[in-house]
Amino acid sequence: MPPPVTYSSYLKLDELLSLQQPRPGVLEHDETLFVIIHQVYELWFKEVLHELDYLQTLLRANDTPLASQTLKRILTILKTLVAQIDVLETITPLNFLAFRDRLESGSGFQSHQFREIEFVLGGKRRSAVDRYPEGSAHRKRVETRFGEPTLWDAFLHYLAANGYPVPKALLGRDVTQPHEPSPDVQRILVDVYRKNPTVAQIAERLVDLDEGFMEWRYRHVKMVQRTIGTKPGTGGSAGAEYLLTTLNQPAFPDLWAIRAEL
């Protein structure tokens, strides 16, 4: 008979707590925090992807109550992701420099899960796929996401399921291409906001989602700037200079374009 399930065995705590292993050598005090924060980020990224996949299924099934509930959960997780930067910023520039060289080529820029989240939200670039070694498990995951419909595609199908005349060309678009603003969709959205509060609520939660990710990017940039200034990032990335180029790029431009029409 197998042993009874315990708190520790259910959560695999022994394995989990053994994973905080900085590089061999003299362990700097703040390095443990640095490792744990980034491992926790990756766990939250896993959950965000799990919820985004579920959200797309709910939108395509026209399940407004569950879609709204799932969006609320994602937005709450986003607040946690932003709040973790406050903890990370307790590592001073000098303390970070004490162990920075131990990261060698490692960089958050290489996070395949964050790249997957970007792709689900529509920020697709073939060059982002090509950064991962061909044949690697991470490359396969990112390539799969690259070829899948985005959250915006699911929302367009949701609008169509609610009787709105979404152009067929958009419902069957090439999902590997970035979202392009659509005057037709914008006219539909203005009508939604004026006459259909139930569907408009889902649209507003998508605006919250978009704003939440832009807030996380902004806080991330400022954290990098206050920690390493204009120095290049680890792994050969351009650091804050690159991160600045990712700001103010909404995932759902149509939802922002209609603000002046409401």
Side-chain angles (χ1 to χ4, degrees), residues 18 50 58 75 120 174 182 193 211 219 222 248 251:
S18 70
H50 180 61
L58 294 171
L75 293 170
V120 173
D174 180 355
S182 166
Y193 272 84
E211 185 175 2
R219 286 296 313 277
K222 303 314 290 184
N248 299 319

Side-chain angles (χ1 to χ4, degrees), residues 23-215:
R23 299 292 304 281
V26 178
L27 174 65
E28 294 293 334
H29 177 76
D30 285 2
E31 194 171 359
T32 297
L33 173 61
F34 186 83
V35 170
I36 288 174
I37 283 282
H38 286 84
Q39 287 181 339
V40 170
Y41 265 125
E42 290 296 333
L43 288 172
W44 279 127
F45 291 164
K46 181 176 182 177
E47 178 62 21
V48 168
L49 284 167
H50 180 61
E51 299 297 342
L52 286 172
D53 287 340
Y54 186 47
L55 176 59
Q56 290 184 76
T57 299
L58 294 171
L59 288 174
R60 288 177 178 273
N62 198 17
D63 191 333
T64 299
L66 271 181
S68 180
Q69 181 180 326
T70 303
L71 273 163
K72 181 180 178 181
R73 175 177 292 174
I74 297 170
L75 293 170
T76 305
I77 293 171
L78 267 177
K79 292 178 182 178
T80 301
L81 293 177
V82 172
Q84 284 187 177
I85 293 177
D86 292 334
V87 182
L88 198 55
E89 285 182 337
T90 65
I91 301 177
T92 68
L94 286 177
N95 288 346
F96 178 61
L97 287 175
F99 64 86
R100 188 187 185 206
D101 287 346
R102 290 155 62 89
L103 303 179
E104 295 185 2
S105 63
S107 168
F109 190 68
Q110 299 160 347
S111 170
H112 69 278
Q113 288 198 121
F114 188 74
R115 201 64 64 202
E116 288 182 67
I117 292 172
E118 285 186 321
F119 284 3
V120 173
L121 295 180
K124 296 188 179 182
R125 304 177 308 283
R126 184 71 215 181
S127 60
V129 177
D130 295 337
R131 294 191 187 104
Y132 298 90
E134 209 157 339
S136 66
H138 294 174
R139 169 78 172 244
K140 290 176 182 176
R141 283 190 55 160
V142 173
E143 280 188 321
T144 297
R145 290 285 183 186
F146 186 77
E148 291 178 344
T150 68
L151 177 57
W152 185 249
D153 294 306
F155 179 64
L156 292 180
H157 281 272
Y158 172 74
L159 290 176
N162 279 276
Y164 292 99
V166 180
K168 289 185 178 179
L170 291 178
L171 295 175
R173 75 180 190 92
D174 180 355
V175 298
T176 66
Q177 296 301 308
H179 302 152
E180 294 292 341
S182 166
D184 290 329
V185 170
Q186 290 171 26
R187 282 191 289 271
I188 289 171
L189 290 171
V190 169
D191 189 45
V192 165
Y193 272 84
R194 289 175 175 172
K195 301 177 182 177
N196 193 334
T198 301
V199 175
Q201 184 183 48
I202 295 295
E204 276 297 278
R205 295 296 75 76
L206 290 177
V207 173
D208 291 338
L209 177 63
D210 206 355
E211 185 175 2
F213 269 102
M214 286 191 281
E215 179 186 4

Side-chain angles (χ1 to χ4, degrees), residues 85 88-89 219-228:
I85 293 177
L88 198 55
E89 285 182 337
R219 286 296 313 277
H220 187 218
V221 168
K222 303 314 290 184
M223 181 269 295
V224 171
Q225 286 179 326
R226 71 181 288 171
T227 304
I228 65 171

